[in-house]
Amino acid sequence: MESKKELTVRDIIEICEGKLVCGDKEVALNNFCQDTRMIKQDDVYVGIKGENHNGNDMYEKALENGAKVCILQDIDIPEYIKEKYYDRSIVIVKNTIYALQELAKYKRSIYDIPVVAITGSVGKTSTKDIVASVMAKKFNVLKTEGNYNSQLGTALTVLRLKDHDAMVVELGMNNIGEISRLTDIVKPTVAVITNIGTAHIGILGSRENILKAKLEILEGLQSEGKVVINNDNDMLNKWNLEKSDIYDVITYGMENVSDVMAYNTEFSEDGSKFNVDIEDKTYNVHISVGGNHFVSNSLCAIAVGRIFNINMPDILDGIAHFELTKRRMQVEKLENNVIVINDCYNANCDSMKAAIHYLSELKNCKKVAVLGDMLELGEYSEKLHREVGEELVKDKIDIVITVGNESKYIADEVIKGNNASVYEYNNNQEAIEKIKEIMKDGNVAILIKASNGMKFQEIANEICK
């Protein structure tokens, strides 16, 4: 592989209009880090100004810990620092996040590689994990770590490019215009949209606006690039019928007729199985995680793998052995036939329903749903929490435990359905005590899910000791 240009301090000055306070312009920019506690020798420290913390004030600690370069904003560097750290480079820019994005945009431009960018209301991270696993059968893949999909996280991901020959990135957003900026940085060759749901509807106001925000990913799509969409999603299905003549669209699904379709699906605590027909041949697909949504994610991975001419046995192996980011449908089997499904990283109405349906499919055990508030839903909060309650009734979950102010609407709908035991609590500790009591009888499956702000990992940690 041809060697790629190494970024230097000079690039910060020229690309980001940075001002060199001290040090050498030719110093290479290696690992970027915004946390002084994580700084390693010769790293680049980036001061990030947040709502409650200003990382620019911590630059001296970063230098003490070995940072070779500091990129900072809105700060004056005293003379004693320049003298003490004469062998380090300090650059002042107008905005550090913007500077990182511009550096990332430049770095992407010097890599002629396939880039798969993934967005959607639900399933971005898990789809990214499966797609990257499939792509890794043919390429040296760089992928987004965890859910590092923000304006800052995406730039930091791209800046990790080294000897990679493919990249799979996850693009997140809270508002209109954010994905537009991210897709301009990553310039995808394949754009994936997993679905259009209700995440952030309290901010964006409608699913139509959410669709508009997600479709911004197409602004950066390279010429002859392909679009991969979940054809079972009502809004994407409608968009495809209207726009398929403009873009090269590949569809996947389980219900609507699609280019890649699953049938004969089976679910258990050990995962999911389904069949798919590719070029008149039937393949058996196995996923180590259960639930319809992971079948959907796997279909997406098959569609992407086919774009890059990865053979089906390798695609199937990539799906079977992918590693899921933690706290997303993470299944743990405990003593006394107790299964804990830890899906507590985040939640919205669509992912709640999917997780509940997966729980309902498990056989020969009592089913317990431990659910907390879904956040950022605004005026739609009551309606969407009630929809979750209706799903619990429809799927005949045995025991429902709720924590939080908004979850009272979930409990209310289940109580109306009169087919489950319902326990409402104000805090996680009360819920933990009840869960432990239920676990004593054994033979139970427990789903733990809420928005990240509810800190349900506390519950998972305590009951999985």
Side-chain angles (χ1 to χ4, degrees):
M1 179 187 296
E2 61 175 320
S3 60
K4 302 298 190 299
K5 179 182 182 298
E6 190 173 51
L7 298 187
T8 66
V9 170
R10 183 181 294 278
D11 291 316
I12 308 173
I13 297 167
E14 295 179 356
I15 296 170
C16 312
E17 299 181 358
K19 178 184 176 183
L20 184 66
V21 173
C22 61
D24 187 350
K25 292 182 181 180
E26 307 309 325
V27 173
L29 306 179
N30 295 313
N31 184 54
F32 290 77
C33 182
Q34 77 277 21
D35 188 338
T36 57
R37 298 166 298 182
M38 304 295 289
I39 286 285
K40 300 182 181 67
Q41 192 66 36
D42 295 337
D43 277 359
V44 179
Y45 175 70
V46 186
I48 302 298
K49 189 174 184 179
E51 292 182 8
N52 303 312
H53 173 78
N54 188 352
N56 293 280
D57 296 332
M58 301 296 292
Y59 74 90
E60 189 171 2
K61 187 66 175 176
L63 292 169
E64 290 175 3
N65 290 348
K68 187 72 172 178
V69 178
C70 288
I71 305 175
L72 309 171
Q73 72 176 67
D74 302 327
I75 195 164
D76 292 321
I77 308 300
E79 287 300 322
Y80 82 89
I81 291 290
K82 299 176 189 177
E83 294 171 2
K84 183 178 180 180
Y85 296 103
Y86 66 90
D87 59 338
R88 318 293 179 86
S89 297
I90 300 177
V91 185
I92 305 297
V93 296
K94 291 180 180 178
N95 183 292
T96 51
I97 293 179
Y98 180 78
L100 284 181
Q101 290 177 331
E102 289 298 293
L103 286 172
K105 183 177 177 180
Y106 172 68
K107 188 157 192 179
R108 166 66 181 102
S109 73
I110 58 179
Y111 278 73
D112 183 17
I113 61 174
V115 174
V116 181
I118 300 169
T119 194
S121 296
V122 184
K124 294 185 294 296
T125 301
S126 51
T127 302
K128 174 259 302 180
D129 289 334
I130 299 179
V131 169
S133 182
V134 167
M135 292 282 285
K137 293 297 177 178
K138 183 174 182 178
F139 303 97
N140 179 12
V141 177
L142 171 67
K143 72 170 184 175
T144 302
E145 292 183 345
N147 73 317
Y148 227 42
N149 60 21
S150 65
Q151 297 291 310
L152 171 62
T154 300
L156 289 172
T157 296
V158 176
L159 288 169
R160 288 171 44 223
L161 276 169
K162 291 184 179 176
D163 58 348
H164 306 93
D165 52 14
M167 183 165 62
V168 179
V169 289
E170 173 185 343
L171 307 185
M173 64 91 198
N174 292 313
N175 221 323
I176 295 289
E178 294 181 359
I179 288 180
S180 179
R181 175 61 171 156
L182 298 180
T183 193
D184 184 49
I185 295 169
V186 303
K187 291 290 194 296
T189 52
V190 176
V192 174
I193 308 178
T194 61
N195 45 55
I196 305 300
T198 56
H200 311 301
I201 197 169
I203 298 171
L204 291 167
S206 67
R207 289 183 72 213
E208 288 72 20
N209 283 342
I210 294 171
L211 174 64
K212 181 180 178 182
K214 300 298 184 183
L215 287 173
E216 289 174 2
I217 194 174
L218 303 180
E219 295 172 12
L221 185 65
Q222 295 193 18
S223 60
E224 301 184 5
K226 298 184 184 296
V227 183
V228 178
I229 64 167
N230 178 357
N231 207 33
D232 289 341
N233 182 263
D234 58 338
M235 301 199 76
L236 289 175
N237 178 278
K238 180 182 177 184
W239 173 83
N240 183 43
L241 293 174
E242 297 171 349
K243 301 292 184 180
S244 60
D245 57 333
I246 300 175
Y247 299 97
D248 187 353
V249 179
I250 298 169
T251 59
Y252 63 90
M254 291 173 275
E255 299 169 6
N256 295 326
V257 176
S258 304
D259 297 313
V260 183
M261 289 196 71
Y263 62 97
N264 292 340
T265 54
E266 297 179 19
F267 305 107
S268 72
E269 64 268 25
D270 295 318
S272 308
K273 296 179 181 179
F274 65 90
N275 294 132
V276 63
D277 293 336
I278 302 294
E279 295 181 350
D280 299 324
K281 186 173 181 180
T282 299
Y283 293 91
N284 301 314
V285 186
H286 177 262
I287 323 163
S288 59
V289 187
N292 270 330
H293 44 317
F294 280 92
V295 172
S296 182
N297 297 345
S298 300
L299 292 172
C300 177
I302 293 170
V304 173
R306 297 274 298 153
I307 291 172
F308 295 107
N309 298 314
I310 301 173
N311 63 55
M312 278 302 296
D314 282 342
I315 290 174
L316 299 181
D317 189 63
I319 291 171
H321 297 100
F322 89 100
E323 293 185 9
L324 183 64
T325 296
K326 290 183 177 180
R327 294 192 289 161
R328 288 165 172 81
M329 295 300 288
Q330 182 180 342
V331 178
E332 294 191 45
K333 296 182 179 180
L334 309 180
E335 295 179 356
N336 204 19
N337 197 24
V338 173
I339 298 169
V340 177
I341 306 158
N342 181 354
D343 196 26
C344 70
Y345 180 79
N346 222 334
N348 54 51
C349 187
D350 303 290
S351 64
M352 278 276 201
K353 289 180 179 179
I356 291 165
H357 186 69
Y358 167 66
L359 176 66
S360 73
E361 294 281 336
L362 300 182
K363 308 297 184 185
N364 304 317
C365 62
K366 185 177 293 183
K367 301 168 184 66
V368 180
V370 183
L371 307 178
D373 292 354
M374 301 178 290
L375 306 177
E376 296 184 350
L377 297 179
E379 63 184 280
Y380 296 87
S381 185
E382 178 178 345
K383 175 180 180 294
L384 295 173
H385 280 86
R386 288 192 183 279
E387 282 189 21
V388 171
E390 292 168 358
E391 185 73 25
L392 289 161
V393 173
K394 183 178 75 173
D395 284 340
K396 299 179 180 179
I397 302 304
D398 299 301
I399 299 174
V400 176
I401 297 172
T402 64
V403 180
N405 295 325
E406 299 301 299
S407 294
K408 64 187 178 186
Y409 301 117
I410 296 176
D412 187 45
E413 289 300 318
V414 179
I415 291 169
K416 287 180 186 177
N418 197 31
N419 67 342
S421 301
V422 180
Y423 302 92
E424 300 178 66
Y425 297 111
N426 296 316
N427 59 66
N428 292 346
Q429 190 55 47
E430 292 176 348
I432 288 168
E433 292 171 7
K434 185 61 183 180
I435 296 166
K436 285 183 174 180
E437 179 184 320
I438 294 169
M439 290 169 65
K440 289 177 182 177
D441 295 332
N443 198 37
V444 61
I446 304 167
L447 168 67
I448 305 171
K449 189 163 181 63
S451 281
N452 197 31
M454 298 300 292
K455 299 181 179 179
F456 264 30
Q457 186 60 39
E458 295 174 351
I459 298 176
N461 290 344
E462 187 65 28
I463 67 173
C464 292
K465 281 183 177 178

